[in-house]
Amino acid sequence: RSLAKCQPVVDQIERTTAGGSARAAVLDLTSLESAARLAEQLSNDYPEIHYFFANAGTTPQYELTKEGLEDGFGGMHLAHMAVILGILPNLARGGDTKHPSRV
């Protein structure tokens, strides 16, 4: 998983969406601190977020995250949830009742 691998999808979204823009970001799923930093960065950079794709990581191994959580739970669930909760106000501003934001 890398920004280079994500770039073709970003390019396709921007090519096929009228006036749309996309951005890829890499998240260290073993760190809730990394998730909080990404959420803060996205929140500052994008006051309105219309779509957010939280792509799962790899097959969990029985290892611990930096916070001491089991990788499958901490990395696959909590890290993504930390980002989404951090950008929730931006998602709310990005949609309305007729066209809600999507995660």
Side-chain angles (χ1 to χ4, degrees):
R1 312 223 176 224
S2 68
L3 289 175
K5 289 181 180 180
C6 296
Q7 196 57 49
V9 176
V10 169
D11 294 341
Q12 181 182 9
I13 290 169
E14 291 184 338
R15 228 182 12 260
T16 59
T17 309
S21 66
R23 174 180 167 186
V26 175
L27 168 63
D28 178 0
L29 291 172
T30 67
S31 168
L32 293 177
E33 182 182 336
S34 173
R37 277 195 314 270
L38 177 60
E40 182 178 5
Q41 182 181 10
L42 292 172
S43 185
N44 291 335
D45 292 350
Y46 300 98
E48 295 182 1
I49 298 175
H50 303 276
Y51 295 93
F52 185 79
F53 297 91
N55 189 14
T58 60
T59 303
Q61 307 295 315
Y62 185 74
E63 296 175 359
L64 299 179
T65 67
K66 291 181 173 79
E67 288 83 9
L69 302 165
E70 191 269 326
D71 177 59
F73 181 63
M76 301 301 144
H77 300 285
L78 295 181
H80 284 108
M81 184 57 69
V83 175
I84 293 166
L85 289 174
I87 63 170
L88 208 51
N90 308 67
L91 287 163
R93 286 190 295 272
D96 57 38
T97 55
K98 190 172 181 177
H99 301 98
S101 295
R102 303 283 185 187
V103 176

Coordinates of all heavy atoms in Angstrom, one line a residue:
R1 N 0.8 -1.2 0.0 CA 0.0 0.0 0.0 C 0.9 1.2 0.0 O 1.7 1.4 0.9 CB -0.9 0.0 1.2 CG -1.6 -1.3 1.4 CD -3.0 -1.2 1.8 NE -3.5 -2.5 1.8 CZ -4.7 -2.8 1.3 NH1 -5.4 -1.9 0.7 NH2 -5.1 -4.1 1.4
S2 N 0.7 2.0 -1.0 CA 1.5 3.2 -1.1 C 0.7 4.3 -1.9 O -0.3 4.0 -2.6 CB 2.8 2.9 -1.9 OG 2.5 2.6 -3.2
L3 N 1.1 5.5 -1.8 CA 0.5 6.6 -2.6 C 0.6 6.3 -4.1 O -0.3 6.6 -4.8 CB 1.1 7.9 -2.2 CG 0.7 8.5 -0.8 CD1 1.5 9.7 -0.5 CD2 -0.7 8.7 -0.7
A4 N 1.7 5.8 -4.5 CA 1.9 5.5 -5.9 C 0.9 4.5 -6.4 O 0.4 4.7 -7.6 CB 3.3 4.9 -6.1
K5 N 0.5 3.5 -5.6 CA -0.5 2.6 -6.1 C -1.9 3.2 -6.1 O -2.8 2.7 -6.8 CB -0.5 1.3 -5.2 CG 0.7 0.5 -5.4 CD 0.7 -0.8 -4.5 CE 1.9 -1.6 -4.7 NZ 1.9 -2.8 -3.8
C6 N -2.1 4.2 -5.3 CA -3.4 4.8 -5.2 C -3.6 5.9 -6.3 O -4.7 6.2 -6.7 CB -3.6 5.6 -3.9 SG -3.6 4.5 -2.5
Q7 N -2.5 6.4 -6.8 CA -2.6 7.5 -7.8 C -3.4 7.2 -9.0 O -4.2 8.1 -9.5 CB -1.2 8.0 -8.2 CG -1.2 9.4 -8.9 CD -1.9 10.4 -8.0 OE1 -1.6 10.6 -6.8 NE2 -2.8 11.2 -8.6
P8 N -3.4 6.0 -9.7 CA -4.2 5.8 -10.8 C -5.7 5.9 -10.5 O -6.5 6.4 -11.3 CB -3.9 4.3 -11.2 CG -2.5 4.1 -10.7 CD -2.4 4.9 -9.4
V9 N -6.1 5.5 -9.3 CA -7.5 5.6 -8.9 C -7.9 7.1 -8.8 O -8.9 7.6 -9.2 CB -7.8 4.8 -7.7 CG1 -9.3 5.0 -7.2 CG2 -7.6 3.4 -7.9
V10 N -7.0 7.9 -8.1 CA -7.2 9.3 -7.9 C -7.4 10.0 -9.3 O -8.3 10.7 -9.5 CB -6.1 9.9 -7.1 CG1 -6.1 11.5 -7.2 CG2 -6.1 9.4 -5.7
D11 N -6.5 9.6 -10.2 CA -6.5 10.2 -11.6 C -7.8 9.8 -12.3 O -8.4 10.7 -12.9 CB -5.3 9.7 -12.4 CG -4.0 10.2 -11.9 OD1 -4.0 11.2 -11.1 OD2 -3.0 9.6 -12.2
Q12 N -8.3 8.6 -12.1 CA -9.5 8.2 -12.8 C -10.7 9.0 -12.2 O -11.6 9.4 -12.9 CB -9.7 6.7 -12.6 CG -11.0 6.2 -13.3 CD -11.3 4.8 -13.1 OE1 -10.6 4.1 -12.4 NE2 -12.3 4.2 -13.8
I13 N -10.8 9.1 -10.9 CA -11.9 9.9 -10.3 C -11.9 11.3 -10.8 O -12.9 11.8 -11.1 CB -11.7 9.8 -8.7 CG1 -12.0 8.4 -8.2 CG2 -12.7 10.8 -8.1 CD1 -11.7 8.2 -6.7
E14 N -10.7 11.9 -10.8 CA -10.7 13.3 -11.3 C -11.0 13.4 -12.7 O -11.6 14.4 -13.2 CB -9.3 13.9 -10.9 CG -9.1 14.1 -9.4 CD -7.9 14.7 -9.0 OE1 -6.9 14.7 -9.8 OE2 -7.8 15.3 -7.9
R15 N -10.6 12.4 -13.5 CA -10.9 12.5 -15.0 C -12.4 12.3 -15.3 O -12.9 12.9 -16.2 CB -10.1 11.3 -15.6 CG -9.3 11.7 -16.9 CD -8.6 10.6 -17.6 NE -8.9 9.2 -17.2 CZ -8.1 8.5 -16.3 NH1 -7.0 9.0 -15.8 NH2 -8.5 7.3 -16.1
T16 N -13.1 11.5 -14.5 CA -14.4 11.1 -14.8 C -15.5 11.8 -14.0 O -16.7 11.5 -14.1 CB -14.6 9.6 -14.6 OG1 -14.3 9.2 -13.3 CG2 -13.7 8.8 -15.6
T17 N -15.1 12.8 -13.1 CA -16.0 13.5 -12.3 C -15.9 15.0 -12.6 O -14.9 15.6 -12.5 CB -15.6 13.3 -10.8 OG1 -15.5 11.9 -10.5 CG2 -16.7 13.9 -9.9
A18 N -17.0 15.5 -13.0 CA -17.1 16.9 -13.4 C -16.7 17.8 -12.2 O -17.5 17.9 -11.2 CB -18.5 17.3 -13.9
G19 N -15.6 18.5 -12.3 CA -15.2 19.4 -11.2 C -14.8 18.7 -9.9 O -14.5 19.4 -8.9
G20 N -14.7 17.4 -9.9 CA -14.4 16.7 -8.7 C -12.9 16.6 -8.5 O -12.0 16.8 -9.3
S21 N -12.5 16.4 -7.2 CA -11.1 16.2 -6.9 C -11.0 15.0 -5.9 O -12.0 14.7 -5.2 CB -10.5 17.4 -6.3 OG -11.1 17.7 -5.0
A22 N -9.9 14.4 -5.9 CA -9.7 13.3 -5.0 C -8.3 13.3 -4.4 O -7.4 14.0 -5.0 CB -9.9 11.9 -5.8
R23 N -8.1 12.7 -3.3 CA -6.8 12.7 -2.7 C -6.6 11.3 -2.0 O -7.5 10.8 -1.4 CB -6.7 13.8 -1.6 CG -5.4 13.7 -0.8 CD -5.4 14.9 0.2 NE -4.4 14.7 1.2 CZ -4.2 15.5 2.2 NH1 -5.1 16.5 2.4 NH2 -3.3 15.3 3.0
A24 N -5.4 10.8 -2.1 CA -5.1 9.5 -1.4 C -4.2 9.8 -0.3 O -3.4 10.8 -0.3 CB -4.4 8.5 -2.4
A25 N -4.3 9.1 0.8 CA -3.5 9.2 2.0 C -3.2 7.9 2.5 O -4.0 7.0 2.5 CB -4.1 10.1 3.0
V26 N -2.0 7.7 3.0 CA -1.6 6.4 3.6 C -1.7 6.6 5.2 O -1.3 7.6 5.7 CB -0.1 6.0 3.2 CG1 0.3 4.8 4.0 CG2 -0.1 5.8 1.7
L27 N -2.3 5.6 5.8 CA -2.5 5.6 7.2 C -1.7 4.4 7.9 O -1.9 3.3 7.4 CB -4.0 5.5 7.5 CG -4.4 5.2 8.9 CD1 -4.0 6.4 9.9 CD2 -5.9 5.1 9.0
D28 N -1.0 4.7 8.9 CA -0.4 3.6 9.7 C -1.5 3.0 10.6 O -1.8 3.6 11.6 CB 0.8 4.2 10.6 CG 1.4 3.1 11.4 OD1 1.0 1.9 11.4 OD2 2.4 3.5 12.1
L29 N -2.0 1.9 10.2 CA -3.1 1.3 11.0 C -2.7 0.8 12.3 O -3.6 0.4 13.1 CB -3.8 0.2 10.1 CG -4.5 0.6 8.9 CD1 -4.9 -0.6 8.0 CD2 -5.7 1.4 9.2
T30 N -1.5 0.7 12.6 CA -1.0 0.3 13.9 C -0.9 1.4 14.9 O -0.4 1.2 16.1 CB 0.3 -0.5 13.8 OG1 1.3 0.5 13.5 CG2 0.3 -1.6 12.8
S31 N -1.4 2.6 14.6 CA -1.2 3.7 15.5 C -2.4 4.6 15.5 O -2.8 5.2 14.4 CB 0.0 4.5 15.0 OG 0.1 5.8 15.6
L32 N -3.1 4.7 16.6 CA -4.2 5.7 16.7 C -3.7 7.1 16.6 O -4.5 8.0 16.2 CB -5.0 5.4 18.0 CG -5.7 4.1 18.1 CD1 -6.4 3.9 19.4 CD2 -6.7 4.0 17.0
E33 N -2.5 7.4 17.0 CA -1.9 8.7 16.9 C -1.8 9.1 15.4 O -2.1 10.2 15.0 CB -0.5 8.8 17.5 CG 0.1 10.1 17.5 CD 1.5 10.1 18.1 OE1 1.8 9.3 18.9 OE2 2.3 11.0 17.7
S34 N -1.4 8.1 14.6 CA -1.4 8.4 13.1 C -2.8 8.7 12.6 O -2.9 9.5 11.7 CB -0.8 7.1 12.4 OG -0.8 7.3 11.0
A35 N -3.7 7.9 13.1 CA -5.1 8.2 12.6 C -5.6 9.5 13.0 O -6.2 10.2 12.2 CB -6.0 7.1 13.2
A36 N -5.3 10.0 14.2 CA -5.7 11.3 14.7 C -5.0 12.4 13.9 O -5.6 13.4 13.5 CB -5.3 11.5 16.2
R37 N -3.7 12.2 13.5 CA -3.0 13.2 12.7 C -3.6 13.3 11.3 O -3.8 14.4 10.8 CB -1.5 12.8 12.6 CG -0.7 13.2 13.7 CD 0.8 13.2 13.4 NE 1.2 11.9 12.7 CZ 1.6 10.8 13.4 NH1 1.7 10.8 14.7 NH2 2.0 9.8 12.7
L38 N -4.0 12.1 10.7 CA -4.6 12.1 9.4 C -6.0 12.8 9.5 O -6.3 13.7 8.6 CB -4.8 10.7 8.9 CG -5.5 10.6 7.5 CD1 -4.7 11.4 6.4 CD2 -5.7 9.2 7.1
A39 N -6.7 12.5 10.5 CA -8.0 13.2 10.6 C -7.9 14.7 10.8 O -8.6 15.5 10.1 CB -8.8 12.6 11.8
E40 N -6.9 15.1 11.5 CA -6.7 16.6 11.7 C -6.3 17.2 10.4 O -6.8 18.3 10.0 CB -5.7 16.8 12.8 CG -5.4 18.3 13.1 CD -4.4 18.5 14.2 OE1 -3.8 17.6 14.7 OE2 -4.2 19.7 14.5
Q41 N -5.4 16.6 9.7 CA -4.9 17.1 8.4 C -6.1 17.2 7.4 O -6.3 18.2 6.7 CB -3.8 16.2 7.9 CG -3.2 16.7 6.6 CD -2.1 15.7 6.1 OE1 -1.9 14.6 6.6 NE2 -1.4 16.2 5.0
L42 N -6.9 16.1 7.3 CA -8.0 16.1 6.4 C -9.0 17.2 6.8 O -9.6 17.9 5.9 CB -8.7 14.7 6.3 CG -7.8 13.6 5.7 CD1 -8.5 12.3 5.9 CD2 -7.6 13.9 4.2
S43 N -9.3 17.3 8.1 CA -10.3 18.2 8.6 C -9.8 19.7 8.2 O -10.7 20.5 7.8 CB -10.4 18.1 10.1 OG -11.4 18.9 10.6
N44 N -8.5 19.9 8.4 CA -8.0 21.3 8.0 C -8.0 21.6 6.5 O -8.3 22.7 6.1 CB -6.6 21.5 8.6 CG -6.6 21.5 10.1 OD1 -7.6 21.9 10.7 ND2 -5.5 21.2 10.7
D45 N -7.7 20.5 5.8 CA -7.5 20.7 4.3 C -8.9 20.7 3.6 O -9.0 21.3 2.5 CB -6.7 19.6 3.7 CG -5.2 19.7 4.1 OD1 -4.8 20.8 4.7 OD2 -4.4 18.8 3.9
Y46 N -9.9 20.0 4.1 CA -11.2 19.9 3.4 C -12.3 20.2 4.4 O -12.8 19.3 5.1 CB -11.3 18.4 2.9 CG -10.2 18.1 1.9 CD1 -9.1 17.4 2.3 CD2 -10.3 18.5 0.6 CE1 -8.0 17.1 1.5 CE2 -9.2 18.2 -0.3 CZ -8.1 17.5 0.1 OH -7.1 17.2 -0.7
P47 N -12.8 21.4 4.4 CA -13.9 21.8 5.2 C -15.2 20.9 5.0 O -16.0 20.7 5.9 CB -14.2 23.3 4.9 CG -12.9 23.7 4.3 CD -12.3 22.6 3.6
E48 N -15.4 20.5 3.7 CA -16.5 19.7 3.3 C -15.9 18.4 2.7 O -15.1 18.5 1.7 CB -17.4 20.4 2.3 CG -18.1 21.6 2.9 CD -19.0 22.2 1.9 OE1 -19.2 21.7 0.7 OE2 -19.7 23.2 2.2
I49 N -16.3 17.3 3.2 CA -15.9 16.0 2.6 C -17.2 15.3 2.1 O -18.1 15.1 2.9 CB -15.2 15.1 3.6 CG1 -13.9 15.9 4.0 CG2 -14.9 13.8 3.0 CD1 -13.1 15.2 5.1
H50 N -17.3 14.9 0.9 CA -18.5 14.3 0.3 C -18.4 12.8 0.3 O -19.4 12.1 0.5 CB -18.7 14.8 -1.1 CG -18.8 16.3 -1.1 ND1 -20.0 16.9 -0.9 CD2 -17.9 17.3 -1.4 CE1 -19.8 18.3 -1.0 NE2 -18.6 18.5 -1.3
Y51 N -17.2 12.2 0.1 CA -17.0 10.8 0.1 C -15.7 10.5 0.8 O -14.7 11.2 0.6 CB -16.9 10.2 -1.4 CG -18.1 10.4 -2.2 CD1 -18.4 11.5 -3.0 CD2 -19.1 9.4 -2.1 CE1 -19.5 11.6 -3.7 CE2 -20.3 9.5 -2.9 CZ -20.5 10.6 -3.6 OH -21.6 10.8 -4.4
F52 N -15.7 9.4 1.6 CA -14.5 9.0 2.2 C -14.4 7.5 2.1 O -15.3 6.8 2.5 CB -14.5 9.4 3.7 CG -13.2 9.1 4.4 CD1 -12.1 9.9 4.2 CD2 -13.1 8.0 5.2 CE1 -10.9 9.6 4.9 CE2 -11.9 7.6 5.9 CZ -10.8 8.5 5.7
F53 N -13.3 7.0 1.6 CA -13.1 5.5 1.4 C -12.1 5.1 2.4 O -10.9 5.5 2.4 CB -12.6 5.2 0.0 CG -13.5 5.6 -1.1 CD1 -13.5 6.8 -1.7 CD2 -14.5 4.7 -1.5 CE1 -14.4 7.2 -2.7 CE2 -15.4 5.0 -2.5 CZ -15.4 6.2 -3.1
A54 N -12.5 4.3 3.4 CA -11.6 3.7 4.4 C -11.3 2.3 4.0 O -12.1 1.4 4.3 CB -12.3 3.8 5.8
N55 N -10.3 2.1 3.3 CA -9.9 0.8 2.7 C -9.2 0.0 3.8 O -8.2 0.4 4.4 CB -9.0 1.0 1.5 CG -8.8 -0.3 0.8 OD1 -9.5 -1.3 1.0 ND2 -7.8 -0.4 -0.1
A56 N -9.7 -1.2 4.1 CA -9.1 -2.1 5.1 C -7.7 -2.4 4.8 O -7.2 -2.3 3.7 CB -9.9 -3.3 5.3
G57 N -7.0 -2.7 5.9 CA -5.6 -3.1 5.7 C -5.4 -4.5 5.3 O -6.1 -5.0 4.4
T58 N -4.4 -5.2 5.9 CA -4.1 -6.5 5.5 C -4.7 -7.5 6.4 O -5.4 -7.2 7.4 CB -2.6 -6.7 5.6 OG1 -2.2 -6.5 7.0 CG2 -1.8 -5.7 4.7
T59 N -4.5 -8.8 6.2 CA -5.0 -9.8 7.1 C -4.4 -9.7 8.4 O -3.1 -9.6 8.5 CB -4.7 -11.2 6.5 OG1 -5.2 -11.3 5.2 CG2 -5.2 -12.3 7.4
P60 N -5.2 -9.6 9.5 CA -4.6 -9.3 10.8 C -3.7 -10.5 11.3 O -4.0 -11.6 11.0 CB -5.8 -9.1 11.7 CG -7.0 -9.4 10.9 CD -6.6 -9.6 9.5
Q61 N -2.6 -10.1 11.9 CA -1.7 -11.0 12.5 C -1.9 -10.8 14.0 O -2.4 -9.8 14.5 CB -0.2 -10.7 12.2 CG 0.0 -10.6 10.7 CD -0.2 -11.9 10.0 OE1 0.3 -12.9 10.5 NE2 -0.8 -11.9 8.9
Y62 N -1.6 -11.8 14.8 CA -1.7 -11.6 16.2 C -0.5 -10.8 16.7 O 0.5 -11.4 17.1 CB -1.9 -12.9 17.1 CG -2.1 -12.5 18.5 CD1 -3.3 -11.9 18.9 CD2 -1.1 -12.6 19.4 CE1 -3.6 -11.5 20.2 CE2 -1.3 -12.1 20.7 CZ -2.5 -11.6 21.1 OH -2.8 -11.2 22.4
E63 N -0.6 -9.5 16.5 CA 0.4 -8.6 17.0 C -0.3 -7.5 17.7 O -1.5 -7.3 17.6 CB 1.2 -8.1 15.8 CG 2.0 -9.1 15.1 CD 2.7 -8.6 13.8 OE1 2.6 -7.4 13.5 OE2 3.4 -9.4 13.2
L64 N 0.4 -6.7 18.4 CA -0.2 -5.6 19.1 C 0.1 -4.3 18.4 O 1.2 -4.1 17.8 CB 0.3 -5.5 20.5 CG 0.0 -6.7 21.4 CD1 0.6 -6.5 22.8 CD2 -1.5 -7.0 21.5
T65 N -0.8 -3.3 18.4 CA -0.6 -2.0 17.8 C 0.3 -1.2 18.8 O 0.6 -1.7 19.9 CB -1.9 -1.3 17.7 OG1 -2.5 -1.0 19.0 CG2 -2.9 -2.1 16.8
K66 N 0.7 0.0 18.4 CA 1.5 0.8 19.2 C 0.8 1.1 20.6 O 1.5 1.4 21.6 CB 1.9 2.1 18.5 CG 2.8 1.8 17.3 CD 3.1 3.1 16.6 CE 4.2 2.9 15.5 NZ 3.7 2.3 14.3
E67 N -0.5 1.1 20.6 CA -1.2 1.4 21.8 C -1.5 0.1 22.6 O -2.2 0.1 23.7 CB -2.6 2.0 21.5 CG -2.4 3.5 21.1 CD -2.1 3.6 19.6 OE1 -2.1 2.7 18.8 OE2 -1.8 4.8 19.2
G68 N -1.0 -1.1 22.1 CA -1.1 -2.3 22.9 C -2.4 -3.1 22.6 O -2.8 -4.0 23.3
L69 N -3.1 -2.7 21.5 CA -4.4 -3.3 21.1 C -4.1 -4.5 20.1 O -3.1 -4.4 19.3 CB -5.3 -2.3 20.5 CG -5.7 -1.2 21.4 CD1 -6.3 -0.1 20.5 CD2 -6.6 -1.6 22.5
E70 N -4.9 -5.5 20.1 CA -4.7 -6.6 19.1 C -4.9 -6.0 17.7 O -5.8 -5.2 17.5 CB -5.8 -7.6 19.4 CG -5.6 -8.9 18.6 CD -6.3 -8.9 17.3 OE1 -7.4 -8.4 17.2 OE2 -5.7 -9.5 16.4
D71 N -4.0 -6.3 16.8 CA -3.9 -5.8 15.5 C -5.3 -5.8 14.7 O -5.7 -4.9 14.1 CB -2.8 -6.5 14.7 CG -2.8 -6.0 13.2 OD1 -2.5 -4.8 13.1 OD2 -2.9 -6.8 12.3
G72 N -6.0 -6.9 14.7 CA -7.2 -7.1 14.0 C -8.2 -6.1 14.4 O -9.0 -5.5 13.6
F73 N -8.3 -5.8 15.7 CA -9.3 -4.9 16.2 C -8.8 -3.5 16.2 O -9.5 -2.6 15.7 CB -9.7 -5.3 17.7 CG -10.7 -4.4 18.3 CD1 -12.0 -4.3 17.8 CD2 -10.4 -3.6 19.4 CE1 -12.9 -3.5 18.4 CE2 -11.3 -2.8 20.0 CZ -12.6 -2.7 19.5
G74 N -7.6 -3.3 16.7 CA -7.0 -1.9 16.7 C -6.7 -1.4 15.3 O -7.0 -0.2 15.0
G75 N -6.1 -2.2 14.5 CA -5.8 -1.8 13.1 C -6.9 -1.8 12.1 O -7.0 -0.9 11.3
M76 N -7.7 -2.8 12.2 CA -8.8 -2.9 11.1 C -10.0 -2.1 11.5 O -10.8 -1.8 10.6 CB -9.2 -4.3 10.9 CG -8.0 -5.2 10.5 SD -7.3 -4.6 8.9 CE -5.6 -5.0 9.3
H77 N -10.3 -1.8 12.8 CA -11.5 -1.2 13.1 C -11.3 0.2 13.8 O -11.8 1.2 13.3 CB -12.3 -2.1 14.1 CG -12.7 -3.4 13.5 ND1 -13.7 -3.5 12.5 CD2 -12.2 -4.6 13.6 CE1 -13.8 -4.7 12.1 NE2 -12.9 -5.4 12.8
L78 N -10.5 0.2 14.9 CA -10.3 1.4 15.6 C -9.6 2.6 14.9 O -10.0 3.7 15.0 CB -9.6 1.2 16.9 CG -10.4 0.3 17.9 CD1 -9.6 0.1 19.2 CD2 -11.7 0.8 18.2
A79 N -8.6 2.2 14.1 CA -7.8 3.3 13.4 C -8.7 3.9 12.3 O -8.8 5.2 12.2 CB -6.6 2.7 12.7
H80 N -9.5 3.1 11.6 CA -10.4 3.7 10.6 C -11.5 4.6 11.4 O -11.9 5.7 10.9 CB -11.1 2.7 9.8 CG -10.2 2.1 8.7 ND1 -9.6 0.9 8.8 CD2 -9.7 2.7 7.6 CE1 -8.9 0.6 7.8 NE2 -8.9 1.7 7.0
M81 N -12.0 4.0 12.4 CA -13.1 4.8 13.2 C -12.5 6.1 13.7 O -13.2 7.1 13.7 CB -13.6 3.9 14.3 CG -14.8 4.6 15.1 SD -16.2 5.0 14.0 CE -16.8 3.4 13.6
A82 N -11.3 6.1 14.2 CA -10.7 7.3 14.7 C -10.6 8.4 13.6 O -10.9 9.6 13.9 CB -9.3 7.0 15.3
V83 N -10.3 8.0 12.4 CA -10.2 9.0 11.3 C -11.6 9.5 11.0 O -11.9 10.7 10.9 CB -9.6 8.4 10.0 CG1 -9.7 9.3 8.9 CG2 -8.1 8.0 10.3
I84 N -12.6 8.5 10.9 CA -13.9 8.9 10.5 C -14.5 9.8 11.6 O -15.2 10.9 11.2 CB -14.8 7.7 10.2 CG1 -14.3 7.0 9.0 CG2 -16.3 8.1 10.1 CD1 -14.8 5.6 8.8
L85 N -14.4 9.5 12.8 CA -14.9 10.4 13.9 C -14.2 11.8 13.9 O -14.9 12.8 14.1 CB -14.7 9.7 15.3 CG -15.6 8.5 15.5 CD1 -15.2 7.9 16.9 CD2 -17.1 8.9 15.5
G86 N -13.0 11.8 13.5 CA -12.3 13.1 13.4 C -12.7 14.0 12.3 O -12.6 15.2 12.4
I87 N -13.3 13.4 11.2 CA -13.7 14.2 10.1 C -15.2 14.2 10.0 O -15.8 14.8 9.0 CB -13.1 13.7 8.8 CG1 -13.6 12.2 8.5 CG2 -11.6 13.8 8.8 CD1 -13.3 11.8 7.0
L88 N -15.9 13.7 11.0 CA -17.4 13.7 11.0 C -18.0 15.1 10.8 O -18.9 15.2 10.0 CB -17.9 13.1 12.3 CG -19.2 12.4 12.3 CD1 -19.3 11.4 11.2 CD2 -19.5 11.7 13.6
P89 N -17.5 16.2 11.4 CA -18.1 17.5 11.1 C -18.0 17.9 9.6 O -18.8 18.5 9.0 CB -17.3 18.4 12.0 CG -16.8 17.6 13.1 CD -16.6 16.2 12.5
N90 N -16.8 17.5 9.0 CA -16.6 17.8 7.6 C -17.5 17.0 6.7 O -18.0 17.5 5.7 CB -15.1 17.5 7.3 CG -14.2 18.2 8.2 OD1 -14.1 17.8 9.4 ND2 -13.4 19.1 7.7
L91 N -17.8 15.7 7.1 CA -18.7 14.9 6.3 C -20.1 15.5 6.4 O -20.9 15.5 5.5 CB -18.7 13.5 6.9 CG -17.5 12.6 6.5 CD1 -17.3 11.4 7.4 CD2 -17.5 12.2 5.0
A92 N -20.5 16.0 7.6 CA -21.8 16.6 7.8 C -22.0 17.8 6.9 O -23.0 18.0 6.3 CB -22.0 16.9 9.3
R93 N -20.9 18.6 6.8 CA -21.0 19.8 6.0 C -20.9 19.5 4.5 O -21.4 20.2 3.7 CB -19.8 20.7 6.3 CG -19.9 21.5 7.6 CD -18.9 22.6 7.8 NE -17.5 22.0 7.9 CZ -17.0 21.7 9.0 NH1 -17.6 21.8 10.1 NH2 -15.7 21.2 9.0
G94 N -20.4 18.3 4.2 CA -20.3 17.9 2.8 C -21.5 17.4 2.1 O -21.6 17.2 0.9
G95 N -22.6 17.1 2.9 CA -23.8 16.5 2.4 C -25.0 17.3 2.9 O -24.9 18.2 3.7
D96 N -26.2 16.8 2.4 CA -27.4 17.3 2.9 C -28.4 16.2 2.9 O -28.1 15.1 2.5 CB -27.9 18.5 2.1 CG -28.0 18.2 0.6 OD1 -28.5 17.1 0.2 OD2 -27.7 19.1 -0.3
T97 N -29.7 16.5 3.2 CA -30.6 15.4 3.3 C -30.9 14.7 2.0 O -31.2 13.5 1.9 CB -32.0 15.8 3.9 OG1 -32.4 17.0 3.1 CG2 -31.8 16.3 5.3
K98 N -30.8 15.5 0.9 CA -31.0 14.9 -0.4 C -29.8 14.1 -1.0 O -29.9 13.1 -1.7 CB -31.4 16.0 -1.4 CG -31.9 15.5 -2.7 CD -32.5 16.6 -3.6 CE -33.0 16.0 -4.9 NZ -33.6 17.1 -5.7
H99 N -28.6 14.6 -0.7 CA -27.3 14.0 -1.1 C -26.4 13.9 0.1 O -25.5 14.8 0.2 CB -26.7 14.9 -2.2 CG -27.6 15.0 -3.4 ND1 -28.4 16.1 -3.7 CD2 -27.8 14.2 -4.5 CE1 -29.0 16.0 -4.8 NE2 -28.7 14.8 -5.3
P100 N -26.6 12.9 0.9 CA -25.7 12.8 2.1 C -24.3 12.4 1.7 O -24.0 11.8 0.7 CB -26.3 11.7 2.9 CG -27.1 10.9 1.9 CD -27.5 11.9 0.9
S101 N -23.3 12.8 2.6 CA -21.9 12.3 2.4 C -21.9 10.8 2.6 O -22.8 10.2 3.2 CB -21.0 13.0 3.4 OG -21.0 14.4 3.2
R102 N -20.9 10.2 2.0 CA -20.8 8.7 2.1 C -19.5 8.3 2.6 O -18.4 8.9 2.3 CB -21.0 8.1 0.7 CG -22.2 8.5 0.0 CD -23.3 7.7 0.5 NE -24.5 7.9 -0.3 CZ -25.7 7.5 0.0 NH1 -25.9 6.8 1.1 NH2 -26.7 7.8 -0.7
V103 N -19.5 7.3 3.5 CA -18.2 6.7 4.0 C -18.2 5.2 3.5 O -19.2 4.5 3.5 CB -18.2 6.7 5.5 CG1 -16.9 6.0 6.0 CG2 -18.2 8.1 6.0

